[in-house]
Amino acid sequence: MADIHRTHYASQLGENTIDQQVKVAGWVEDIRDIGKLVFVTVRDVTGAMQLVVTGNAAQSAKETPRQSAVVASGTVQKGKAKDFAVEIKVSEYNVLTPAVNPLPIDPTGRVESSLDKRLDCRPLDLRNPKVSAIFKLRSAGLHAVRAALREQGFIEVNTPKIIGSASEGGANLFGFDYFKKKGFLAQSPQLYKEQLTLGLDRVFEIGPYFRAENSHTVRHLSEFISVDIEAAFVDYTDVMYVLETVIRAVALEFEKHKEYAQAPVSQLSIPDKISKLTYEQCLEQLAAEGENIKFGDDLSDSSLRKLGEIHKGFYFITDWPTDLKPFYIHEKLDNPKVSESFDLQFGYLELASGGRRQHDPTKLKARLQSQGLNPSGFSEHLKAFDWGMPPHSGWGLGFDRLMMVMTGAQNVRDVVLYPRDSNRLTP
Ligand code: AMO
C-alpha cells in the first residue's frame, strides 16, 4: 500500500513550487491519453491539478476509472495547458480505491442530474465544486454567527433534543416510545432557552429541530437547523438589533470567501438597517393591492408573496396580533391585542421569528389555557418562573433558509447535506 500522506493540496501548487518534489492526493476527474503521455486531472477539496504520466505508470493511469481515489508523487513543472499554470510530472502513481463504472451521477456537473438523484448520492455530489462551495460557505456562515453572538456576550448552550412535552404547543410533534414513557423530538429550544436566562443571562444555541411537516414545499424540512438566542433584561427591539448584526456578519463572511466563487452566491445587498413594517402596515399595503385581510387573520402564503413583491430583500414584520403568536409571546403594554413580536422576512420567505416573552407566571398560565394547552403539562417549565424570571426576549432563525437566501438556492434541500422530509428518510 502506497504512503497516503500528501505534501500539497491543489491550491498550494503554483509557480513558487516549480522543480519541487510533491505528493498529491484526490480523485480522478479526466484522463486524456495522447500516446506516450497521459494527462490526468485530479481534484481535491481545494481544486483541480494536472498530472503528466509517462513510462510504466501510464498504463495504470490510462485505465483508472473516473472518480477513483489516487495518490501521485512527482516534480512540479510549468504547465503547457491553458487551464493549469503548473503540472506534475509523475514518478509514482497509485490507485488507492477504484470507483465503479458507470457512476450514478456525473459529479463534474457536465451531465446534469435531478436534485433527487444527487441527494441519493450526496457524498459523490460533493465532488462537484459548485456543490461543495455551498457547504464551505455554510461552514463559514456558522462560524460568523458564533463569532457575532459571542462578541455580544452570548454563551453557547446545548439543550436536549429528546424531550417530555411540547415546546411550541402540540402540533407537528414527532413522538416515540422512550423507555415505556412518551418522548418527543424537540421542535425548538424555546422553553429551555427562556429558563437559562435566569442564570446565564444571554444564551444561544445552534442545533437541529424536528417538525412533522407534511408540507411539500421548497422551504420546509422535518429536520432543520435553527440559531436560537434568548437574553435577559432586553425587549424585542434589542433582539431585532442582534439579529441584524448576525445577518450582516454572515454577509461579510461570505464576501471574504470569494474563493468559493463557484457557489451561486446571490448578489445580496445587506442594508445597514433592516426596515420594519408593522402587521397593520402590511394589511394596509395588501389592501392597496386589492387583498383585504381583517385584523387577527394570519398572512397566508399568497399574501406573503404579494408583500415579497413589494419588499424584495430583508425586512421585519412586527407587532403581530397577540392571538396569532405562541403562548410565550408578551403583549404590548399599551395594547394587549398586539404583541411585542416580529418575523424576519426575505421577500415572501420567513427566516426568523421572535419577540419579548411573557415572564409573569400568572399571565403565562392564562395564555396557555386560552390557547387550549394545559398548564400542568408545563409544570417543569413554569416552576422556573417562581425563581426570579427576568423579563427576556429572543428569536429563532432558520439557518437552512438563511443559507438558501444567501446562496440564491431555489430549494432548501440544495443547502442541506442530507435533507429530511416526509418522502426522504435516507440516505
Ligand atoms: P418558528 O416556529 O417560527 O419559531 O421557527 C423559527 C424559524 O425556524 C425556521 N423553520 C423551519 N425551517 C425549515 N423547515 C421547517 N419545517 C421549519 N420550521 C421553522 C424558519 C422559522 O422562521 N421558538 C420560536 C422562535 C422564538 O420565538 O425564539 C420558533 O420556533 O426559518
Side-chain angles (χ1 to χ4, degrees):
M1 178 80 173
D3 176 30
I4 56 173
H5 299 98
R6 69 190 124 200
T7 59
H8 289 72
Y9 280 94
S11 62
Q12 294 169 315
L13 300 174
E15 307 270 343
N16 60 329
T17 53
I18 285 179
D19 293 336
Q20 279 185 29
Q21 265 298 114
V22 297
K23 183 163 198 169
V24 295
W27 299 275
V28 171
E29 194 165 276
D30 262 324
I31 300 166
R32 274 181 307 124
D33 172 14
I34 57 161
K36 270 185 262 160
L37 294 182
V38 181
F39 292 106
V40 183
T41 307
V42 171
R43 184 174 289 283
D44 67 21
V45 72
T46 66
M49 51 206 152
Q50 170 147 281
L51 311 183
V52 187
V53 193
T54 52
N56 291 344
Q59 193 60 26
S60 154
K62 226 181 280 182
E63 290 167 1
T64 315
R66 302 277 196 287
Q67 299 301 331
S68 299
V70 297
V71 287
S73 310
T75 315
V76 180
Q77 61 185 27
K78 202 161 170 41
K80 290 172 201 79
K82 67 173 169 18
D83 295 342
F84 297 98
V86 297
E87 57 192 22
I88 300 168
K89 188 170 166 22
V90 169
S91 52
E92 197 181 335
Y93 176 89
N94 283 291
V95 179
L96 299 177
T97 331
V100 298
N101 200 343
L103 290 162
I105 56 167
D106 172 16
T108 66
R110 275 176 225 140
V111 182
E112 276 198 26
S113 304
S114 69
L115 178 58
D116 249 341
K117 260 186 119 175
R118 287 174 35 221
L119 291 176
D120 286 341
C121 327
R122 194 52 132 173
L124 183 58
D125 186 38
L126 289 170
R127 297 242 181 96
N128 181 337
K130 286 200 171 89
V131 178
S132 59
I134 291 176
F135 294 97
K136 291 174 186 174
L137 283 169
R138 199 181 148 111
S139 166
L142 282 172
H143 173 77
V145 169
R146 282 205 165 86
L149 289 172
R150 284 171 56 102
E151 202 169 284
Q152 294 174 78
F154 286 86
I155 295 169
E156 183 163 8
V157 297
N158 304 105
T159 64
K161 304 298 161 251
I162 299 178
I163 56 173
S165 62
S167 39
E168 297 288 333
N172 301 346
L173 258 184
F174 283 114
F176 58 92
D177 186 38
Y178 187 75
F179 304 114
K180 301 206 173 102
K181 290 194 203 73
K182 191 89 186 135
F184 302 98
L185 291 177
Q187 294 163 299
S188 82
Q190 184 64 36
L191 309 185
Y192 293 107
K193 66 177 181 169
E194 287 194 50
Q195 294 164 24
L196 293 175
T197 61
L198 224 103
L200 296 176
D201 199 284
R202 295 182 151 218
V203 294
F204 78 99
E205 177 160 18
I206 304 176
Y209 297 98
F210 306 90
R211 302 209 182 164
E213 297 275 5
N214 212 348
S215 32
H216 300 269
T217 74
V218 294
R219 62 184 192 278
H220 287 98
L221 294 172
S222 34
E223 176 176 348
F224 65 98
I225 299 295
S226 173
V227 178
D228 274 86
I229 74 151
E230 204 64 33
F233 306 110
V234 298
D235 67 20
Y236 76 140
T237 54
D238 299 314
V239 290
M240 272 189 267
Y241 173 76
V242 176
L243 185 47
E244 272 181 16
T245 66
V246 164
I247 301 290
R248 217 172 301 125
V250 173
L252 286 174
E253 187 70 27
F254 270 38
E255 270 184 19
K256 278 197 231 153
H257 287 269
K258 287 282 191 260
E259 73 267 29
Y260 302 156
Q262 290 115 325
V265 181
S266 48
Q267 298 302 312
L268 287 183
S269 57
I270 310 288
D272 278 347
K273 193 121 196 67
I274 297 179
S275 62
K276 295 188 179 110
L277 202 65
T278 65
Y279 164 86
E280 287 193 81
Q281 284 169 328
C282 289
L283 298 195
E284 283 161 21
Q285 294 190 348
L286 288 167
E289 298 287 313
E291 191 163 330
N292 289 303
I293 297 166
K294 62 175 192 314
F295 180 91
D297 285 349
D298 208 350
L299 301 182
S300 65
D301 191 49
S302 79
S303 308
L304 288 171
R305 279 178 197 273
K306 270 206 181 108
L307 282 173
E309 284 300 307
I310 308 171
H311 308 277
K312 295 214 186 294
F314 292 99
Y315 62 103
F316 286 108
I317 304 180
T318 70
D319 300 28
W320 289 78
T322 308
D323 287 345
L324 282 182
K325 284 290 166 186
F327 61 89
Y328 48 77
I329 289 287
H330 203 293
E331 74 285 356
K332 286 200 113 169
L333 298 177
D334 57 352
N335 179 6
K337 286 202 174 328
V338 177
S339 61
E340 292 204 11
S341 61
F342 59 87
D343 284 358
L344 174 68
Q345 298 285 131
F346 185 86
Y348 84 97
L349 185 66
E350 178 199 311
L351 299 181
S353 63
R356 180 167 173 172
R357 322 302 190 178
Q358 189 55 264
H359 64 278
D360 174 335
T362 313
K363 282 191 183 166
L364 189 58
K365 277 179 211 153
R367 282 276 289 160
L368 279 165
Q369 266 159 343
S370 74
Q371 295 208 348
L373 297 163
N374 187 350
S376 65
F378 290 82
S379 54
E380 284 299 324
H381 178 53
L382 289 168
K383 70 186 186 199
F385 285 70
D386 293 337
W387 303 331
M389 180 60 87
H392 57 284
S393 302
W395 44 254
L397 165 69
F399 189 71
D400 312 302
R401 289 192 185 174
L402 179 65
M403 286 302 107
M404 187 181 162
V405 160
M406 303 284 289
T407 61
Q410 296 304 309
N411 191 325
V412 70
R413 292 161 186 78
D414 272 312
V415 300
V416 174
L417 283 170
Y418 296 98
R420 290 287 175 262
D421 60 35
S422 55
N423 290 327
R424 189 170 273 284
L425 188 55
T426 56

